[in-house]
Amino acid sequence: VDQSEQMAGLSLDPGYKEFICHFYVSAVANILTEWALKREGWDRDSIIRYLTTTIRGSILGISQLSSLSADHT
């Protein structure tokens, strides 16, 4: 989240940043657990690419929601 925040030139509200980190930890843990147990669906490289794209894309999308920026609270 920090790297994506920097790439987008943002300063997110600390509370929102904590929320988004917890959100993604839960999502990633669930995806990786299911993948490890089933070993079907995506390969390792695809999972990494999908997760990276999703996290970076959501942070970049947040840049259009100024109410979540620490500079606008």
Side-chain angles (χ1 to χ4, degrees):
V1 172
D2 288 334
Q3 185 181 30
S4 296
E5 178 184 34
Q6 290 173 354
M7 287 175 58
L10 294 175
S11 177
L12 296 177
D13 175 84
Y16 181 70
K17 193 171 172 178
E18 183 178 348
F19 169 81
I20 200 76
C21 286
H22 286 288
F23 178 84
Y24 280 119
V25 165
S26 297
V28 169
N30 185 51
I31 288 170
L32 293 178
T33 299
E34 287 186 25
W35 178 75
L37 293 173
K38 297 178 184 176
R39 293 288 182 182
E40 56 187 46
W42 308 295
D43 59 83
R44 179 182 173 273
D45 291 336
S46 292
I47 289 174
I48 292 169
R49 187 174 66 251
Y50 295 159
L51 289 172
T52 301
T53 301
T54 301
I55 292 169
R56 285 187 180 154
S58 70
I59 298 298
L60 292 174
I62 291 166
S63 68
Q64 297 182 22
L65 303 173
S66 62
S67 65
L68 298 175
S69 172
D71 298 334
H72 293 91
T73 56

